[in-house]
Amino acid sequence: MTGTSIVGVGMTRFGVHDEPLTELFAEAAFPALDDAGVTAGEVDAFYLGNAMGGLTENDTHLAPTLASHVGLAGVPCQRFEDACATSSNAFKHAVRAVQSGEQDVVLVGGVERCSPATGLGTDVMTRIFASAMHRDYEQPSGLTFPGVFALLTRRHMHEYGTTPEQLAAVAVKNHHHGSLNPRAHFGRDVTVEDVLESPVVASPFHLLDCCPFSDGASAVVVASDAVAGTLAGEPVRVAGVGHATDVVPLADKLDLTATQSARDAAAQAYAEAGWGADAVDVAEVHDCFTGAEVLATEALGLFPAGEGGPAAAAGRTALGGEVPVNPSGGLKAKGHPIGATGTAQLVELTEQLRGIAGDRQVAGAERAVAHNLGGDAATTLVTALEVAS
Amino acid sequence: MTGTSIVGVGMTRFGVHDEPLTELFAEAAFPALDDAGVTAGEVDAFYLGNAMGGLTENDTHLAPTLASHVGLAGVPCQRFEDACATSSNAFKHAVRAVQSGEQDVVLVGGVERCSPATGLGTDVMTRIFASAMHRDYEQPSGLTFPGVFALLTRRHMHEYGTTPEQLAAVAVKNHHHGSLNPRAHFGRDVTVEDVLESPVVASPFHLLDCCPFSDGASAVVVASDAVAGTLAGEPVRVAGVGHATDVVPLADKLDLTATQSARDAAAQAYAEAGWGADAVDVAEVHDCFTGAEVLATEALGLFPAGEGGPAAAAGRTALGGEVPVNPSGGLKAKGHPIGATGTAQLVELTEQLRGIAGDRQVAGAERAVAHNLGGDAATTLVTALEVAS
């Protein structure tokens, strides 16, 4: 199996963008290609993550359109829709295509618009997000995603004693990390009191426990190690990729707090990498809500079940702590343009492993994991990256 | 590279279906698994094609939902959206995963609802179909898909003298083939006069030049040759898969009649198969409109440029002719539930190569190609199948 590396990265600032999706994506893709030191003619294929472009922009066949816009017309293009995990799944397939020798250099990216720049109200967007939940058993009940993660988190509080203050500590940490990230949607610090005094969205979540509706794009260039050695972009090795699903709907899950698909995906990624949670120096996880970060850090094995909340409150996951989580600010503060989130996690971790993350740099980071979840905890991708030896 | 075969197939009748998509898909998936002789526990992954479930049913994260419904919860699931070519692209990725040794047995399927069973009018559905065209350059002009293929076909008439009667001959042939297919949406014969006297939709296309808005599902089981040898399902070898895109929008294409992505994809598939157009015994092609079949037979190399129309009119592509095209009835008569179309082509060709296609059987068929196109001639997948030796 061919060794595979990320050799170039690019992303827009996450926030509000009103240009066409083609132009928004180009703002991530061209920097990624430039960073890798490859021209469009050297790219063999394009893998796109976009979750809701049909519903938000009446735009479904985006992959060839974006490819044409950035000079890649003709290469095989594919769009993945895997809810919030979509661009991580696109990345997995890109990595497998390079590992198998089918392709040498591929572009992977994600783009999405979720802010009021869509022209849609937050009520309509909330219903659109809910399209990633079970059509027959969950949508008709009125459940939406704050409710999904509130149910998971409430159960975690019941089983382990996780507190609202511990959840708020996740928001405080990620807002602070975001304040150090010029590409973050939110750039200001908040306090535990700010979080607990913000309006309740779906108990136990207050407004500041929730990620924003963001627009943005991100892209990475993946290459075989043989080709990577000839390119200008500093390579970061893809050590392993895990991908699993859990039963749908929520009501059928065996355990609401274990996020089984994340545990299975993490086990796969660690097995492929040949190292485990103990070796992880930095993680980007899917903190669409603060409680989701607690569940994610436990599913990744960074902390035992029930200790994710206390660990966050004790600063163990902050920059300077033993295993910094979401140095980018995470979905919570960096923002969450659905299809762009997975590859944006990989952009941050590539910069961390290159040692160029500036004020957000995790000192001496050599091994990293990304955790990207989609739907009602249905799909999870875990990607393990390491410094090229 | 591991040899790969289709070992099981299943599909619903195409037409009007009002059950939930989970149940509709199960009607294709269970027969495919039964035909293969595999249980759900033996399936390593699920690849789904669905193009517009967000817009038509507010249902985006379908892959894990469908997997759970048919007993596959836990396996890696992915949904591909590649317009009308979506389940062929899912199939390509499934084949590559088996070829590379990543997986041994995978389920590939497509499901879609486009008929008034969606609860949507044909005007709304036409706008939804148009979401697969360029958002900034084509949709605002009012162009919809009958118009896209009318432009391509008008140019073909101008360059080569293709006539309305030749186009009508494609419809007559495919309606007749459909009358022999119990799973076809349309089961009645039509005449050239019926076609030419039906209302004009987008000149040169009359109503009977156009495929219907159908609901349906289809599924195939793909296995490595090593595993296929242990299963009950009679294997059909995957000889090659090609996949290419063309520049988007239409206005930027170098040639409106050559459908370049189809030519590129066919060249790839033939190269992988080690045989070419001369060896093809039977083909399923993407005849969303009669003119599209003419362009497809030329792009596949079955006829030289400009000779697709006369060939159809002369009966060379009919059952009993030298190279039967769309023995299933094609999109024209079998129907076109977008995401289900690509794998349905493979269901038909598998049955042809097994020699069990009944009244539609192409005598002695040993090599077959499927041609599945998406968007404004943006994406094409060509799959080459052959009798297992």
Side-chain angles (χ1 to χ4, degrees):
Chain A
M1 200 167 67
T2 303
T4 303
S5 295
I6 294 174
V7 292
V9 299
M11 64 179 285
T12 66
R13 179 170 181 171
F14 285 180
V16 178
H17 292 278
D18 61 6
E19 64 268 50
L21 287 183
T22 46
E23 295 179 20
L24 182 59
F25 179 67
E27 289 174 30
F30 285 134
L33 293 168
D34 287 348
D35 181 32
V38 300
T39 61
E42 295 171 284
V43 175
D44 298 323
F46 173 47
Y47 293 76
L48 171 67
N50 173 264
M52 308 175 308
L55 283 159
T56 54
E57 328 236 356
N58 204 52
D59 200 346
T60 54
H61 202 37
L62 259 176
T65 303
L66 298 179
S68 285
H69 194 77
V70 299
L72 297 179
V75 303
C77 299
Q78 36 272 310
R79 174 190 154 208
F80 292 78
E81 173 285 306
D82 297 284
C84 300
T86 178
S87 57
S88 292
N89 206 352
F91 178 79
K92 181 191 83 162
H93 284 81
V95 167
R96 298 299 183 225
V98 174
Q99 286 177 330
S100 73
E102 183 185 359
Q103 285 140 1
D104 290 321
V105 179
V106 300
L107 179 67
V108 188
V111 63
E112 199 99 39
R113 192 182 346 251
C114 308
S115 84
T118 53
L120 304 170
T122 50
D123 53 338
V124 174
M125 276 308 302
T126 298
R127 179 176 175 277
I128 289 176
F129 288 134
S131 70
M133 292 166 34
H134 199 291
R135 181 69 187 90
D136 304 304
Y137 301 144
E138 293 176 333
Q139 291 186 41
S141 75
L143 188 64
T144 58
F145 274 105
V148 166
F149 284 90
L151 285 168
L152 303 181
T153 303
R154 270 278 167 222
R155 185 71 201 175
H156 198 270
M157 296 166 83
H158 173 77
E159 288 190 21
Y160 300 111
T162 303
T163 67
E165 290 74 15
Q166 290 166 356
L167 299 176
V170 172
V172 170
K173 167 182 73 72
N174 289 352
H175 269 269
H176 180 63
H177 292 176
S179 76
L180 306 175
N181 186 352
R183 297 175 302 210
H185 195 159
F186 294 149
R188 70 180 177 91
D189 277 302
V190 299
T191 65
V192 168
E193 293 68 35
D194 290 335
V195 178
L196 297 179
E197 290 169 9
S198 63
V200 171
V201 172
S203 178
F205 298 140
H206 297 258
L207 184 62
L208 288 174
D209 285 290
C210 307
C211 70
F213 291 8
S214 312
D215 312 325
S218 58
V220 303
V221 178
V222 176
S224 64
D225 286 347
V227 171
T230 70
L231 300 175
E234 184 185 343
V236 164
R237 266 201 90 242
V238 181
V241 186
H243 173 203
T245 59
D246 197 358
V247 68
V248 177
L250 276 182
D252 287 347
K253 292 192 199 300
L254 291 176
D255 184 335
L256 284 180
T257 64
T259 50
Q260 192 58 45
S261 63
R263 286 171 192 264
D264 293 344
Q268 294 169 23
Y270 291 143
E272 189 178 344
W275 44 261
D278 290 351
V280 173
D281 297 314
V282 55
E284 287 279 310
V285 310
H286 197 88
D287 60 326
C288 45
F289 302 92
T290 51
E293 176 166 318
V294 171
L295 269 63
T297 58
E298 296 176 4
L300 288 171
L302 302 177
F303 302 102
E307 296 188 23
R316 297 169 68 189
T317 56
L319 279 167
E322 64 191 85
V323 55
V325 173
N326 284 323
S328 70
L331 285 60
K332 173 78 259 293
K334 183 183 53 185
H336 185 26
I338 311 297
T341 285
T343 33
Q345 291 179 325
L346 303 176
V347 171
E348 175 71 16
L349 293 179
T350 297
E351 294 186 351
Q352 289 285 346
L353 296 180
R354 285 173 167 178
I356 58 167
D359 292 342
R360 308 185 313 283
Q361 183 64 46
V362 175
E366 296 193 345
R367 296 188 183 85
V369 290
H371 159 286
N372 190 197
L373 178 151
D376 53 357
T379 295
T380 310
L381 277 289
V382 173
T383 303
L385 302 177
E386 63 189 11
V387 169
S389 55
Chain B
M1 199 165 69
T2 304
T4 303
S5 295
I6 294 174
V7 293
V9 299
M11 65 179 284
T12 66
R13 179 170 181 172
F14 285 179
V16 178
H17 293 277
D18 62 5
E19 64 267 51
L21 287 184
T22 45
E23 295 179 19
L24 182 59
F25 179 67
E27 290 174 30
F30 286 133
L33 294 168
D34 287 348
D35 181 32
V38 299
T39 60
E42 295 172 283
V43 175
D44 298 324
F46 173 47
Y47 293 76
L48 170 66
N50 173 263
M52 310 174 308
L55 283 158
T56 53
E57 328 236 357
N58 205 52
D59 200 345
T60 54
H61 202 37
L62 260 175
T65 302
L66 298 180
S68 284
H69 193 77
V70 299
L72 297 178
V75 303
C77 299
Q78 37 271 311
R79 174 189 156 210
F80 291 78
E81 173 284 305
D82 296 285
C84 300
T86 177
S87 57
S88 292
N89 207 353
F91 177 78
K92 180 191 85 161
H93 284 82
V95 167
R96 298 298 182 226
V98 174
Q99 286 178 330
S100 72
E102 183 185 358
Q103 285 141 0
D104 290 321
V105 179
V106 299
L107 179 68
V108 187
V111 63
E112 198 98 40
R113 193 181 346 250
C114 308
S115 84
T118 53
L120 304 170
T122 52
D123 53 338
V124 175
M125 276 307 301
T126 298
R127 179 176 174 277
I128 288 175
F129 288 134
S131 69
M133 293 166 33
H134 199 291
R135 182 69 188 89
D136 303 304
Y137 300 143
E138 293 175 334
Q139 291 185 41
S141 75
L143 189 64
T144 59
F145 274 106
V148 166
F149 284 91
L151 285 168
L152 303 182
T153 303
R154 270 276 167 222
R155 184 72 201 174
H156 198 271
M157 297 167 82
H158 173 76
E159 288 190 21
Y160 300 111
T162 303
T163 67
E165 290 75 14
Q166 291 165 356
L167 299 176
V170 172
V172 170
K173 167 182 71 74
N174 289 352
H175 269 267
H176 180 63
H177 292 176
S179 76
L180 306 175
N181 186 353
R183 297 175 302 210
H185 194 158
F186 293 148
R188 70 177 177 92
D189 277 302
V190 299
T191 65
V192 168
E193 292 68 35
D194 289 337
V195 178
L196 297 180
E197 289 169 9
S198 65
V200 171
V201 172
S203 176
F205 298 140
H206 297 258
L207 184 62
L208 288 174
D209 286 290
C210 307
C211 71
F213 291 8
S214 312
D215 312 326
S218 58
V220 303
V221 178
V222 176
S224 64
D225 286 347
V227 172
T230 70
L231 299 175
E234 183 185 343
V236 164
R237 265 201 91 238
V238 181
V241 186
H243 173 204
T245 60
D246 196 359
V247 68
V248 177
L250 277 182
D252 287 346
K253 293 192 199 300
L254 290 176
D255 185 335
L256 284 180
T257 63
T259 51
Q260 191 58 45
S261 63
R263 287 171 191 265
D264 293 345
Q268 294 169 24
Y270 291 142
E272 189 178 344
W275 43 263
D278 291 350
V280 173
D281 297 314
V282 55
E284 287 278 310
V285 309
H286 196 88
D287 60 327
C288 45
F289 302 92
T290 51
E293 176 167 316
V294 171
L295 270 62
T297 58
E298 296 176 5
L300 289 172
L302 302 178
F303 303 103
E307 295 187 22
R316 297 169 69 188
T317 55
L319 279 167
E322 63 190 84
V323 55
V325 173
N326 285 323
S328 71
L331 286 60
K332 172 78 259 293
K334 183 182 56 187
H336 185 29
I338 311 296
T341 285
T343 33
Q345 292 178 325
L346 303 176
V347 172
E348 174 71 16
L349 294 179
T350 296
E351 294 186 351
Q352 290 286 347
L353 296 179
R354 285 173 168 178
I356 58 168
D359 293 341
R360 306 185 314 283
Q361 183 64 47
V362 175
E366 296 194 346
R367 296 188 182 86
V369 289
H371 160 285
N372 190 196
L373 179 151
D376 53 358
T379 295
T380 310
L381 277 289
V382 173
T383 303
L385 302 178
E386 62 190 10
V387 169
S389 53

